[in-house]
Amino acid sequence: MTEPTPDPRALDDHAFAVWAAERAGDVLLQVRSESGLTGKELKDAGDAAAQELLARLLAEHRPGDAILSEEATDDRARLDADRVWIIDPLDGTREFSEPPRDDWAVHVALWEATGADGGELTAGAVAQPALGETFSTGAPIAVPPRTSDRPRIAVSRTRPPAFVEALAAEIDAELVPMGSAGVKVMSVVRDLADAYVHAGGQYQWDNAAPVAVARAAGLHCSRVDGSALVYNEAETSLPDLIVCRPELAEQILDFVRRNGTS
């Protein structure tokens, strides 16, 4: 029996993030399988379709909230808003354009103001549509004890940073190549990797939802210098981060302090 469609206005923010990310994921799977497009045309069509859907769902069901999206002009009114949805409609366009790869994702996160001290991420969902999985702050995963003998570090499958290769050599870690930023963070949540260390440039939408989910799972999340990851800032760039099992955090941060990331 088909489950009834939920009333999005009745969903709490955690469930709404999941619902919106999964609806965008459904659209992306349809574009991928039915459009007949390939390469850049498929990437562009996926970006556009997922952006249109998420923007429409947020406007309809969360009309008082601001939006920061990779695929839309930055509306600076968000800087004075109490609630801002930070979205990446399609994270990992390269992987999306290479069926049947499943290492691409949809990111939906909510940032809320907390007063004079700024704000924080309060809800988030990362959907991996081709995997049929969605990870969220509403049902956080309890990360199990590490199953690997050697630490595993998630890295780009096309351009792993040299400093991460040096880190891996120092701590005897294995490099695990994979696609999008969200997928790399979720690999730590899923115990497919033990850390994701990045300093090659990202934006708030690349990691807001993944970080929200990773924090809910009890993982360490910070900038590479150990400082906090701050969202809904005027500057959308958020170029580096560490997401890892708590027991690896100090070892990784110490390496960066001694060696830098260049």
Side-chain angles (χ1 to χ4, degrees):
M1 184 174 64
T2 302
E3 294 184 5
T5 302
D7 177 1
R9 289 181 183 271
L11 298 175
D12 67 22
D13 291 323
H14 303 283
F16 179 81
V18 170
W19 178 79
E22 290 182 344
R23 297 294 75 73
D26 291 344
V27 166
L28 285 165
L29 288 174
Q30 184 175 11
V31 169
R32 198 188 206 198
S33 64
E34 299 179 10
S35 69
L37 299 172
T38 60
K40 185 179 186 303
E41 289 75 19
L42 179 56
K43 295 177 185 178
D44 291 345
D47 280 333
Q51 168 64 27
E52 188 280 329
L53 178 72
L54 287 175
R56 176 161 48 84
L57 294 179
L58 287 166
E60 181 178 355
H61 302 298
R62 295 295 191 270
D65 297 349
I67 303 172
L68 173 62
S69 171
E70 178 178 16
E71 300 302 327
T73 302
D74 183 9
D75 182 353
R76 308 290 275 190
R78 68 179 171 81
L79 299 174
D80 297 316
D82 290 332
R83 289 165 53 92
V84 181
W85 292 91
I86 303 175
I87 63 172
D88 190 343
L90 173 53
D91 180 54
T93 53
R94 177 194 294 266
E95 289 73 26
F96 172 75
S97 71
E98 298 176 2
R101 294 195 71 94
D102 61 21
D103 48 346
W104 52 277
V106 178
H107 300 175
V108 178
L110 175 64
W111 174 96
E112 293 189 81
T114 56
D117 293 333
E120 61 185 25
L121 299 173
T122 57
V126 177
Q128 287 188 239
L131 191 65
E133 296 279 357
T134 302
F135 309 93
S136 80
T137 52
I141 291 176
V143 178
R146 202 173 89 199
T147 57
S148 62
D149 294 330
R150 300 169 62 199
R152 300 158 297 178
I153 302 177
V155 295
S156 168
R157 67 187 182 98
T158 57
R159 51 187 186 282
F163 89 94
V164 177
E165 294 179 335
L167 166 65
E170 179 168 305
I171 68 174
D172 190 29
E174 173 189 1
L175 297 180
V176 185
M178 61 186 72
S180 80
V183 168
K184 293 185 187 76
V185 176
M186 290 308 98
S187 75
V188 186
V189 173
R190 298 170 61 205
D191 189 34
L192 301 177
D194 302 301
Y196 172 41
V197 185
H198 178 81
Q202 285 187 4
Y203 294 87
Q204 294 179 44
W205 47 75
D206 289 312
N207 55 55
V211 164
V213 173
R215 284 176 177 166
L219 295 170
H220 169 90
C221 301
S222 74
R223 300 286 299 271
V224 293
D225 64 359
S227 61
L229 292 155
V230 182
Y231 295 91
N232 198 36
E233 293 288 278
E235 173 54 63
T236 58
S237 174
L238 192 55
D240 57 76
L241 82 162
I242 296 171
V243 176
C244 68
R245 290 177 172 274
E247 65 269 23
L248 292 175
E250 185 50 41
Q251 196 173 18
I252 294 171
L253 288 166
D254 177 66
F255 175 89
V256 174
R257 281 193 292 266
R258 289 184 287 107
N259 298 280
T261 60
S262 58

